[in-house]
Structure formats: structure tokens, C-alpha cells
Amino acid sequence: GSTYGTLYYSYKVGSGAYSEWSTTVPSAKDAGTYSIKWKVEGKGQYNGQESTTDIEATISPVASEITFTAANGATGLKYDATEQPLLASAATATLGATPTYKVQYNATNLDDWSGVTATAKATSDLVKGINAGFYRIEALVADGGNYTGTTSKIITVQIEKRTLYVTTKAETKAYGAPDPTFTIAEYRGFQGNDWYENDGTKVKAAGFVAPTVTREIPASGKAHQNVGTYKISASAGAADNYVFDFTEATGKSVFNNL
């Protein structure tokens, strides 16, 4: 107390309720707008008095900062028909905030992301990808009580296509007979349950288009060559998660015209 009486304080945060009257001077650590009122209880010959206008004090939120760089991204990823983590480590943010993420996927074009929808992921362990291509990842912190939200720079992570090795099937025919149907003898490199067609437990690989198989055309261009040995080659073809390697196809399988 003082000569004039005891001084009391009461305060509220925002539109909340006022605190109980206390002789302790108000203090706070959280961001917000505080309204403070006071009163003096009369003592002896002095009358009591109470404030008619609140005193306002504001604690402003701090701007959050996110650490999220290319070093957070996973490296050396290759398609394996399973979900793979795209982050080697999570983003970190100041003030204990937990970042969330947005992920965009683009199969082929690293330079054109127009119209590519971003998918929200709540935690870093949910930031995963299956298909080969490019993934753009952004970390975010929403506005919180003591900090303002922010967004990181975007990092890009790639899952590379697997190599599919193609071998053509050797064929023979009698001179003058029609050409046989030239086919693939073997594909090597399919991942998981991927296959070149739907077959029981196997599933046709996404976007799979079989290569074209042809036999060597002689200079004469005639459909039925003279007796001899000719190359069978494979080319073209497509698959979302694979690139074709025809090294074992071109020039290795032969077409014998007997």
C-alpha cells in the first residue's frame, strides 16, 4: 500500500475476460493486445479511485523462419514400384513450429508447372513419391499465436526411370515363305509387379507401349530376301517409369532365311 491506498490491477487479452484484481504489476510473454485497468482502494482521508480508460499494450508476433534447402531432399532415387521418402530430413522452423508441406508432381517437364495441383502433407514422413519424374516440395508454417506464418523456397527432388533391357527373339523361315511375326524374347528390369501386359499377379506397367520389332531390310528393299542371316532390331516403345535399352536387341538376334 501507499499513503493514498493500495493499487490494484486487472487485465484481459483481446476480447477475453478481465483477470482478478491483483497488486502484482501485469506482465505477459505471449503475443496479443492487452487491456489493463487499475484502481486504488481509499485509505484514511483519501477516497478510492478507478481508471475510466484502459491502458493498451501490444506484444507483436515474431516472423517465423524456415530452414529448407536442397540438402533436405533425398538423392539417388530410382523407380522401384514402391513409395519412397522424398526428404532426407525435415524442414526446421523457429519458435517450435512444425512445418507442413506441399508437393507437386511432374512426370517429364521440369520447366512447366502450370496447372499442376499441389498436394498438402501434414508431416515430412508423408512426403513420398512412387512414379519417376520431378517433385517440387515447399515447406510452410501457418500463423500461430506468437509467430507469423511463412513459406520456404521450393526444392526439387527427382525419381529416375529404371532401365528396361530388351532382347528380341531369333526367327527362321524357309526361302519364299512369308515373314514370321517378330517379337520380344525378354524384358529385364521390371520392378515390383510391373509387366508388359496384365498377367495374373502382374500388372501392365504404367504407360507401357511395346517396342517395334523389325528385321533388316536389304538394299533392294524386297520383302523376302535371298537366303542369308539378317539382324532383328527393336526400337521406339514407351513407359512412364522406364527407359528402353536395345543394346541386347539390335544386332544380337538374327533372322535366318533358309
Side-chain angles (χ1 to χ4, degrees):
S2 67
T3 303
Y4 304 100
T6 303
L7 181 60
Y8 293 88
Y9 304 92
S10 177
Y11 70 94
K12 68 176 182 177
V13 184
S15 59
Y18 281 97
S19 65
E20 295 291 329
W21 289 102
S22 172
T23 57
T24 303
V25 176
S27 64
K29 64 177 181 179
D30 292 326
T33 298
Y34 295 81
S35 300
I36 307 161
K37 60 184 180 179
W38 56 268
K39 70 177 181 179
V40 176
E41 288 188 347
K43 182 178 180 181
Q45 68 207 47
Y46 298 102
N47 295 325
Q49 187 177 2
E50 185 171 336
S51 60
T52 57
T53 303
D54 288 354
I55 299 170
E56 287 200 349
T58 299
I59 299 177
S60 300
V62 177
S64 296
E65 294 182 2
I66 295 179
T67 301
F68 191 58
T69 67
N72 292 96
T75 57
L77 299 180
K78 292 187 177 182
Y79 173 75
D80 65 1
T82 66
E83 279 194 327
Q84 301 183 71
L86 299 175
L87 296 179
S89 58
T92 56
T94 56
L95 302 171
T98 300
T100 59
Y101 302 84
K102 285 185 178 180
V103 182
Q104 292 175 290
Y105 168 69
N106 194 325
T108 57
N109 193 341
L110 184 58
D111 298 319
D112 184 6
W113 293 85
S114 58
V116 179
T117 302
T119 303
K121 301 294 182 181
T123 56
S124 61
D125 59 313
L126 297 178
V127 181
K128 297 180 178 181
I130 297 177
N131 293 315
F134 301 97
Y135 294 81
R136 291 208 316 177
I137 308 167
E138 185 177 48
L140 308 92
V141 171
D143 288 342
N146 292 319
Y147 50 85
T148 56
T150 188
T151 302
S152 73
K153 292 183 178 180
I154 293 173
I155 69 169
T156 302
V157 174
Q158 182 181 10
I159 296 180
E160 295 183 13
K161 292 186 176 186
R162 287 281 184 172
T163 300
L164 202 57
Y165 299 93
V166 180
T167 303
T168 52
K169 182 180 178 182
E171 299 285 355
T172 61
K173 75 160 189 172
Y175 176 74
D179 283 353
T181 300
F182 300 108
T183 60
I184 302 297
E186 181 185 27
Y187 294 100
R188 289 190 300 104
F190 276 120
Q191 300 294 305
N193 290 326
D194 287 354
W195 200 235
Y196 64 91
E197 63 181 357
N198 293 318
D199 180 19
T201 59
K202 300 288 187 179
V203 178
K204 188 174 182 179
F208 184 85
V209 178
T212 301
V213 184
T214 56
R215 53 109 169 105
E216 182 182 8
I217 303 295
S220 65
K222 293 181 179 179
H224 303 292
Q225 314 94 307
N226 294 327
V227 172
T229 299
Y230 303 89
K231 296 177 181 178
I232 299 175
S233 301
S235 60
D240 291 352
N241 294 307
Y242 299 92
V243 291
F244 290 96
D245 186 315
F246 299 116
T247 304
E248 298 181 13
T250 304
K252 294 293 182 70
S253 294
V254 296
F255 172 41
N256 294 307
N257 193 1
L258 305 178

